[in-house]
Amino acid sequence: MQFSLWLALAGAGVLISFTPGAGAINTMSNSLTSGFRRSIWGILGQQAALVVHVVIVALGVGVLVASSPVAFNVIRYAGAAYLVYLGIRQFLSKPVVDQEQAAALRNEPVWSMFRRGLWVNLLNPKAIVFFLAFMPQFIRPEQPLLPQYLVLTATVVVIDILVMWFFFAFAAKSFQRFTHNAGGQKILSRIFGVLFVAVGILLALIH
């Protein structure tokens, strides 16, 4: 991949990552409940889903998903339902005042955080359609394809990790002062619950 083309890819990747969405909300929520450092596990789960999307598009399956209303809608509504479920659970969560309970929440198993991040991004058919439009701009069919896909995937993943961790997760740290009392926890739970539900509804309604 030519350096000028890679620079264009990196610039597009930055813009994509900074676009608020379910991944950003999930990252900020993890940072608040489990801490800035441990939020990386949810981010890595989101990247695993991103890699799956790239593979799906590279193999041509993405074209089938995008052209099949049934398959597209099944994935879309499943993703929307999952986000709404996360939002309702967050909205109804009770403030943590017991030290042992707070410690358990902060020490959520890394696999649980990884799995949630994976499903948040994986159940988003819009991402497949986006990569169908995005990837061909940076792939030259006359050149070996595998190295190009590897460079594209590595670039997008690294950029998204940096943006999610050092922007969205770090930004959530400014809200941590609200987590020290029941009232603040309740407000944050309501805010992030509504955000998850709103993104889920948008995913279901926007075609």
Side-chain angles (χ1 to χ4, degrees), residues 60-69 71-72 132:
V61 180
V63 177
L64 298 177
V65 174
S67 60
S68 170
F72 183 86
L132 275 173

Side-chain angles (χ1 to χ4, degrees), residues 9-178:
L9 170 64
V14 170
L15 291 176
I16 295 164
S17 295
F18 272 110
T19 303
I25 297 170
N26 185 59
T27 298
M28 295 181 73
S29 177
N30 284 337
S31 182
L32 279 171
T33 55
S34 299
F36 170 75
R37 291 183 180 180
R38 301 189 79 247
S39 67
I40 187 63
W41 295 106
I43 295 171
L44 292 177
Q46 293 168 197
Q47 304 317 307
L50 188 152
V51 172
V52 172
H53 283 147
V54 172
V55 171
I56 287 173
V57 172
L59 293 177
V61 180
V63 177
L64 298 177
V65 174
S67 60
S68 170
V70 174
F72 183 86
N73 284 329
V74 166
I75 299 174
R76 179 162 64 101
Y77 289 127
Y82 183 64
L83 290 174
V84 170
Y85 160 74
L86 289 178
I88 293 174
R89 191 178 68 172
Q90 182 88 28
F91 191 91
L92 297 177
S93 63
K94 296 179 180 180
V96 178
V97 292
D98 181 78
Q99 292 298 322
E100 291 185 5
Q101 190 179 4
L105 191 61
R106 285 194 301 270
N107 295 318
E108 178 185 1
V110 295
W111 171 242
S112 174
M113 299 173 69
F114 182 93
R115 184 177 61 236
R116 187 167 59 250
L118 174 71
W119 286 114
V120 162
N121 268 9
L122 196 61
L123 292 174
N124 184 4
K126 299 286 184 181
I128 297 176
V129 175
F130 172 80
F131 277 114
L132 275 173
F134 175 78
M135 287 171 56
Q137 312 301 321
F138 303 98
I139 298 297
R140 298 294 178 261
E142 69 276 5
Q143 299 176 9
L145 294 178
L146 182 58
Q148 295 184 76
Y149 279 119
L150 290 176
V151 170
L152 184 148
T153 304
T155 300
V156 174
V157 165
V158 169
I159 288 174
D160 200 52
I161 289 175
L162 293 175
V163 171
M164 287 294 153
W165 207 23
F166 291 104
F167 181 77
F168 289 109
F170 189 79
K173 291 181 68 177
S174 61
F175 297 107
Q176 284 186 337
R177 64 181 182 274
F178 296 109

